[in-house]
Amino acid sequence: LRASFVDNVGSWGASATPVQWADAQALLDLSGPRRHWIGRAKGYSKTRDVAAVSLAALLTQFPPGATGFAAASDADQAALLRQSIGEFVANTPALAAHVTVDARRVSVKSGAELIILAADSAGSHGLRPYWLTVDELANWPDVPRHREFFDSLWAGLPKVRDSRGVVITTAGSPSHFAHRIFETAQLEPAWRVSDVHGPPPWIDGAEVEAERRRLFPATFGRL
């Protein structure tokens, strides 16, 4: 299903790399790990992929009435998630009759829905996510409010049977709270870690080298 999604870039299935396919299949595999860490470089279609996979799960795997959440660091990043989902729905004719995209909510006829949250908004305690995606965690502000927002959201996953959670992010500082999550993910059998180094194959190599010259080595290596 996700292979047929089309947005302003084109068909997801036609442009996805083997890395993107493997991550998407792992996220939708009901028999595999249910906690995922996906690390990729800047520009490696992270938000677009989260949107496509979340939409596929909402249509085909969410139980009737189930609620999922897509969390981003702030309202602007959350808007990118919503925009990406909206583009898939608007450009894929088969979806129009089945999916409703509102400002902060994506719903289907079964009553299942995906709510888009910003970490700078109130209200993450008590939520019961069947599905949870966290976009660019290593770039969230490392402050108590954002740490608590993530921890309370993630702690809601065990409340729901067969729930799934995914963090998708560029690399961050070893001192950032996301590094603790990454270290946990590497050790826990309940997690799958996909940590891809290097730029996406569609970015021009000359532009990558120009960025290498522009940035401090540590920043270039992270991004």
Side-chain angles (χ1 to χ4, degrees):
L1 176 66
R2 65 194 178 278
S4 66
F5 292 169
V6 177
D7 61 3
N8 294 344
V9 176
S11 165
W12 187 91
S15 61
T17 66
V19 165
Q20 291 171 275
W21 273 107
D23 287 342
Q25 288 169 339
L27 285 171
L28 295 172
D29 182 1
L30 298 176
S31 64
R34 294 185 175 272
R35 306 291 182 263
H36 300 262
W37 178 283
I38 297 176
R40 296 186 197 160
K42 190 173 182 62
Y44 214 133
S45 189
K46 294 183 293 298
T47 300
R48 182 176 184 246
D49 288 3
V50 163
V53 175
S54 297
L55 187 54
L58 178 64
L59 285 162
T60 64
Q61 295 182 344
F62 277 43
T67 302
F69 297 91
S73 60
D74 54 34
D76 289 340
Q77 187 70 24
L80 294 177
L81 272 169
R82 184 267 177 202
Q83 177 184 344
S84 193
I85 292 173
E87 287 180 6
F88 283 125
V89 174
N91 290 281
T92 309
L95 296 179
H98 301 282
V99 183
T100 300
V101 181
D102 296 320
R104 288 288 181 265
R105 188 182 308 266
V106 182
S107 57
V108 295
K109 292 183 176 180
S110 71
E113 60 183 4
L114 180 73
I115 298 173
I116 299 172
L117 294 175
D120 56 4
S121 62
S124 60
H125 288 283
L127 299 180
R128 298 169 57 85
Y130 173 76
W131 175 274
L132 174 60
T133 66
V134 180
D135 195 24
E136 289 291 4
L137 181 65
N139 292 296
W140 286 25
D142 193 356
V143 296
R145 179 173 179 177
H146 282 72
R147 291 196 298 269
E148 182 180 350
F149 187 91
F150 172 81
D151 286 340
S152 61
L153 264 182
W154 202 264
L157 287 168
K159 298 178 183 179
V160 180
R161 183 176 180 180
D162 295 333
S163 63
R164 276 166 289 171
V166 55
V167 172
I168 186 162
T169 185
T170 54
S173 167
S175 63
H176 192 279
F177 76 89
H179 192 256
R180 169 178 54 85
I181 314 302
F182 178 61
E183 290 183 316
T184 299
Q186 291 179 302
L187 297 173
E188 291 287 345
W191 283 77
R192 173 184 179 267
V193 173
S194 171
D195 192 34
V196 178
H197 294 197
W202 55 80
I203 291 185
D204 187 289
E207 292 193 12
V208 174
E209 291 308 311
E211 290 301 292
R212 188 193 301 273
R213 293 188 293 271
R214 183 180 71 87
L215 296 168
F216 288 113
T219 304
F220 178 83
R222 182 174 65 82
L223 297 176

